[in-house]
């Protein structure tokens, strides 16, 4: 495959291939009675073969067509994704672009539809974070073949082909786990998401490294990686806490799982942090306003959005290099992890 970006097929391309005028192609695609059935079919067959997509913006706004960036996030109602989107919008606005966002609801099918919708809208580029159920990346490979710039953030794939912006989740998880150990915890559980997600693997790796460095036994029963869902995480935490040899601390993968664990510990009649300490990957907006206040590994989520948009704009402007930027996280110690030794 050529490394050169392929331009999207236009009416002019179809017309040139068929040896007819652009007007003829346009009328044929609109089933105009001025064009014979045979020509209409020839035009439609070629359009299908070359994957031609009509541009609604170009059709309705021949002049001053808007410059659009598409963004796909797994869960728009969480603060993390809303803050990333805010960063993307701020940077896009400075560059004269508008942003259209789509929520995949953590479902592969919705992600697939969002990407297809963006292609049909002729966006100039896409920023995406994988849905937790996505294991087939064909739709992203199609974007590369069509020459549509794409940048991932948070959860990534096809790293040899697409630029990405991630956090230093492995280092942050190791630092957080070390803090729990320093405060007296010895049976530390990790509540994660699906193991195929690179973000989950990085954070779990940091957690395990801290246990190894402190010569603590790695109990696989304390490593629970499942669906990113509040009720699922609640149940998983409850099952951990009902064991005879329950964990005395929990490191939670993201905000949904963190607050599910927080609620489950409280509902079990256990004290935080005296009975079970807790640190979560979450944001300061919620972590500082619960009781006890949450120790948290916080993303610079707005900066992640800004950086992702900057990389996308580079690609739109012809930069073919693949970048992998890391925006560091910050461990903020509050009340949920500070046991009295």
């Amino acid at each position: 495959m050529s490394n050169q970006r392929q331009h999207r097929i236009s009416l002019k391309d179809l017309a040139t291939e068929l040896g007819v005028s652009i007007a003829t192609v346009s009328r044929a695609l609109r089933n105009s009675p001025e064009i014979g059935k045979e020509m209409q079919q020839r035009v439609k067959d070629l359009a299908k073969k070359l994957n031609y997509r009509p541009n609604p913006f170009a059709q309705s706004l021949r002049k001053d067509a808007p410059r659009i960036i598409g963004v796909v996030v797994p869960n728009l109602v969480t603060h993390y994704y809303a803050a990333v989107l805010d960063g993307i919008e701020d940077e896009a606005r400075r560059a004269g672009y508008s942003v259209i966002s789509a929520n995949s609801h953590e479902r592969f099918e919705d992600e697939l539809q969002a990407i297809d919708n963006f292609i049909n809208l002729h966006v100039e580029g896409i920023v995406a974070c994988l849905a937790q159920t996505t294991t087939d990346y064909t739709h992203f490979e199609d974007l590369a073949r069509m020459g549509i710039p794409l940048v991932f953030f948070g959860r990534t794939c096809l790293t040899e082909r697409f630029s990405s912006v991630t956090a230093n989740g492995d280092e942050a998880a190791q630092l957080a786990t070390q803090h729990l150990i320093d405060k007296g915890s010895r049976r530390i559980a990790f509540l994660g998401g699906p193991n195929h997600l690179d973000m989950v693997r990085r954070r779990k790796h940091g957690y395990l490294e801290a246990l190894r460095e402190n010569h603590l036994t790695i109990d696989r029963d304390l490593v629970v990686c499942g669906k990113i869902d509040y009720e699922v995480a609640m149940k998983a935490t409850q099952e951990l806490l009902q064991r005879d040899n329950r964990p005395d601390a929990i490191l939670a993968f993201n905000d949904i799982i963190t607050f599910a664990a927080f609620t489950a510990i409280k509902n079990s009649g256990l004290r935080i942090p005296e009975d079970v300490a807790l640190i979560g990957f979450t944001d300061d907006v919620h972590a500082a306003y619960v009781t006890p206040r949450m120790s948290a590994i916080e993303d610079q989520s707005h900066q992640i959005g800004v950086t992702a948009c900057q990389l996308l704009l580079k690609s739109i402007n012809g930069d073919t290099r693949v970048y992998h930027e890391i925006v560091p996280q910050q461990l903020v110690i509050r009340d949920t992890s500070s046991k009295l030794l």
Side-chain angles (χ1 to χ4, degrees):
M1 183 185 300
S2 171
N3 289 327
Q4 291 183 335
R5 282 179 52 189
Q6 304 173 26
H7 75 282
R8 278 172 277 203
I9 299 300
S10 66
L11 290 177
K12 182 179 179 181
D13 295 321
L14 299 179
T16 300
E17 181 79 13
L18 292 166
V20 299
S21 69
I22 294 175
T24 295
V25 171
S26 178
R27 290 174 184 143
L29 291 173
R30 289 186 283 110
N31 299 316
S32 170
E34 301 174 42
I35 307 299
K37 294 295 183 183
E38 182 181 350
M39 178 55 72
Q40 286 187 28
Q41 194 59 49
R42 286 180 62 198
V43 171
K44 290 175 182 177
D45 288 346
L46 182 62
K48 183 177 181 180
K49 177 183 176 182
L50 299 181
N51 198 25
Y52 167 74
R53 306 268 185 148
N55 187 341
F57 290 115
Q59 291 171 346
S60 60
L61 298 168
R62 295 296 179 183
K63 296 180 180 179
D64 301 321
R67 310 190 74 182
I68 305 293
I69 288 171
V71 181
V72 188
V73 298
N75 190 343
L76 192 52
V77 300
T78 65
H79 181 268
Y80 171 75
Y81 292 114
V84 172
L85 180 59
D86 191 59
I88 295 170
E89 289 178 338
D90 283 350
E91 189 64 22
R93 190 180 304 112
R94 283 191 285 268
Y97 283 81
S98 297
V99 174
I100 299 176
S101 61
N103 191 346
S104 72
H105 304 282
E106 294 283 13
R107 293 191 291 263
F108 168 74
E109 295 78 10
D110 289 359
E111 178 183 282
L112 198 65
Q113 185 62 60
I115 294 297
D116 195 55
N117 289 343
F118 286 154
I119 294 171
N120 287 332
L121 288 171
H122 284 241
V123 299
E124 294 196 29
I126 296 171
V127 178
C129 180
L130 294 177
Q132 65 174 306
T133 57
T134 297
T135 55
D136 178 356
Y137 310 130
T138 306
H139 51 310
F140 297 122
E141 292 172 337
D142 288 341
L143 291 178
R145 283 191 287 271
M146 296 174 69
I148 300 175
L150 170 67
V151 172
F152 286 107
F153 75 90
R155 309 172 192 169
T156 71
C157 66
L158 304 173
T159 53
E160 73 288 348
R161 182 172 293 181
F162 297 111
S163 295
S164 65
V165 183
T166 58
N168 59 335
D170 51 348
E171 296 175 12
Q174 185 169 353
L175 186 63
T177 306
Q178 185 63 53
H179 165 73
L180 291 170
I181 294 169
D182 291 343
K183 289 298 181 180
S185 295
R186 292 296 178 268
R187 285 184 54 76
I188 304 168
F190 176 79
L191 290 179
N195 277 309
H196 69 269
L197 293 176
D198 60 326
M199 181 186 284
V200 174
R201 293 196 301 268
R202 289 193 299 269
R203 296 178 181 184
K204 182 168 67 174
H205 174 75
Y207 154 81
L208 293 173
E209 280 299 295
L211 297 184
R212 292 187 187 102
E213 286 195 359
N214 288 272
H215 307 291
L216 295 178
T217 301
I218 296 175
D219 184 345
R220 294 294 174 181
D221 289 337
L222 295 181
V223 182
V224 182
C225 292
K227 184 178 180 182
I228 301 172
D229 177 85
Y230 187 85
E231 295 301 326
V232 171
M234 275 273 289
K235 182 178 179 182
T237 307
Q238 289 166 351
E239 290 175 353
L240 283 172
L241 298 177
Q242 288 167 1
R243 295 178 182 173
D244 292 336
N245 196 9
R246 61 170 171 77
D248 57 8
I250 293 174
L251 177 64
F253 166 71
N254 72 351
D255 47 2
I256 292 173
I257 294 175
T258 296
F259 286 99
F262 181 86
T263 303
I265 296 169
K266 284 201 159 191
N267 288 350
S268 298
L270 297 171
R271 300 167 299 164
I272 305 173
E274 292 85 357
D275 298 317
V276 184
L278 177 63
I279 296 179
F281 284 82
T282 186
D283 60 83
D284 60 343
V285 172
H286 298 103
Y289 297 108
V290 294
T291 303
R293 298 178 308 147
M294 183 76 68
S295 292
I297 304 162
E298 297 177 357
D299 278 293
Q300 297 183 66
S301 43
H302 184 274
Q303 184 58 46
I304 288 174
V306 169
T307 305
C309 189
Q310 288 172 343
L311 293 184
L312 185 67
L313 292 172
K314 283 185 177 183
S315 183
I316 290 172
N317 291 325
D319 189 340
T320 59
R321 287 173 292 182
V322 175
Y323 297 88
H324 298 302
E325 300 290 343
I326 295 176
V327 178
Q329 295 171 305
Q330 181 180 7
L331 175 60
V332 179
I333 302 303
R334 298 189 179 94
D335 302 330
T336 61
S337 64
S338 299
K339 290 186 178 183
L340 297 176
L341 298 180

